[in-house]
Amino acid sequence: MITAVAGGVALIAAAPAEEYPATDGWVREPAASKAPPRAGGDPSRAAVSAELASAASAAGLTAGPVYPAEEGGTADCIADWTGDGPADEARLAALETALEERGWQVMARRGDPVPEVALRSGSWRLELHNGGLLNTTTLVARRSTEPCDEAFRREEETRGPRG
């Protein structure tokens, strides 16, 4: 288990073998394992940040507070976007569509306790949260590569699992 903090939101990511386990309420998308790799290679952190903001804007969502970017070893491993409140169902569906149009693939969903959608683009894993403790729409993308996984492990050892 890898824990990181992005934009004031705790991100807990499982190792790939444990991605989106049914025991945690995730329901995998049937086509998730059949999609081809993203054309054009793995996107940079800047490209992912731009995609998140662009997709949110296209869905009619308004940005909320901007948190300082990650620093240190995980700086290129996390991209996030935070809204100014929760999205209604129509905007949430539009956000998911806008992300898919930008090359993101839905991997899994869960509805309780907070609606979440897990997406993938290249080595990036994105969790879209709507509501929850912050009562807002939150997009947190985490790069899943050996260097980033190692950076998250080092950071957890330094800061501990609670950040």
Side-chain angles (χ1 to χ4, degrees), residues 19-28 108-110 116-118 127:
E19 262 186 343
Y20 320 118
T23 55
D24 287 347
W26 287 103
V27 177
R28 288 183 143 298
R109 303 172 188 281
R110 71 175 166 188
E116 294 178 82
V117 179
E127 289 190 13

Side-chain angles (χ1 to χ4, degrees), residues 28-83:
R28 288 183 143 298
E29 288 289 305
S33 61
K34 298 177 184 171
R38 181 180 176 130
D42 198 41
S44 68
R45 179 186 181 277
V48 170
S49 293
E51 286 177 356
L52 299 182
S54 174
S57 178
L61 299 173
T62 304
V66 176
Y67 297 98
E70 287 293 310
E71 295 179 5
T74 61
D76 288 331
C77 302
I78 295 177
D80 65 306
W81 181 91
T82 303

